[in-house]
Amino acid sequence: MAAWDLLVDRKDLRKAQIVPAQAPALADGEVRLEVERFSFTANNVTYGLMGDAFGYWTFFPAPDGLGRIPVWGFARVTESRTADAPVGLRLFGYLPMSTSFVMQLAKTRTGFVDRAPHRAELPPTYNAYNEAPADPLDDHRALLRPLLMTSFLLDDFLGEDGALTTLVLSSASSKTALGLAWFAKARGCEVIGLSSPANAKTIEGLGLYDKVLTYDEVGALKTKGPAAFVDFAGDRATTAKVHAALGEALTRSIIVGATHWEAGRDDAAIAGPTPTLFFAPDQIRKRMADWGPGEVETRFDAALRAFVADSPWLNLVQHEGQQGLTDAYHRVLEGRVRPQDGHIIRPA
């Protein structure tokens, strides 16, 4: 099979193209991996939008002006020049949207890392690769591992604030918001979702939210007590409306994603608490120190399995090859994804 990559214009994510890829000879310490499957979600769109600010473009270098948006999934070593990573080793982690790629894999106490120089200063959370024997939940893991992990860590972070009784989530149809709603309701929080009219009825039917409002109804937003707004949409105008509606009841405002990436930025002043960015790797580092090595993954794995068992509504949509990836990419980028659907791509 000929090797290829999906490259995007870093200034306009709508401009994406499949291009032939080179397969250079390996140097000592390098391995070649064949990409088996990965998911593509609004979370990956956020990686592209924040690629320059957070270094996401650095993981998988591309020609000037172009980028390779990272995704989460499974890959297998097909050629190796290091004893640390033999042929056949199957890993889960951060991948490019490609048929294959090269890394300098090295073993650690808990898994593998890429020792390539361009990754040296990048967050270790995105540079960790775990051995991944086949599991019936592999498609769910490809889809949910990055999204539900963020939900898990967000809920853990917000749960430290004992005064909070309510969470208000924008882009309530996003998988990360749905996951946070599931976790927060389990510990007794009131959870209110904000959504487009097209998705509101579907989200209500999932039973994860106490109340679902459309963005036009934000002015009527009321809560039972101290509230946090968790913004997955990245639409500053909506944030301003939520802040105004909740007034003094709003004690926290957290920025997570940018699903409404085309809304642009509104420089209007926002009343109330200053919106602050939640960066999941910071919470992982904290809990690794608090709970000890491996405990974050152990607790999360149990949570993921429980979420899947409790989510019969979740529908996995399969895509194959170049055309399948291109279709899934534009569908997600343009917001043409049903809340219950998750897109899994197999490049080969």
Side-chain angles (χ1 to χ4, degrees), residues 32-62:
R32 194 181 325 279
L33 297 102
E34 180 180 287
V35 176
E36 177 190 290
R37 75 184 89 178
F38 56 84
S39 65
F40 191 78
T41 71
N43 186 53
N44 303 107
V45 175
T46 299
Y47 291 156
L49 293 172
M50 298 183 177
D52 289 316
F54 288 89
Y56 293 122
W57 297 126
T58 308
F59 283 90
F60 304 105

Side-chain angles (χ1 to χ4, degrees), residues 109-110 287-289 291-296 298:
R109 284 188 308 143
T110 57
R287 287 315 190 198
M288 286 178 68
W291 297 343
E295 188 62 21
V296 170
T298 298

Side-chain angles (χ1 to χ4, degrees), residues 14 67 81 91 106 161 193 225 237 253 274 283 312 331:
R14 288 166 293 202
R81 294 196 62 180
L91 298 173
D161 187 342
S253 186
T274 301
Q283 191 70 7
R331 190 180 301 184

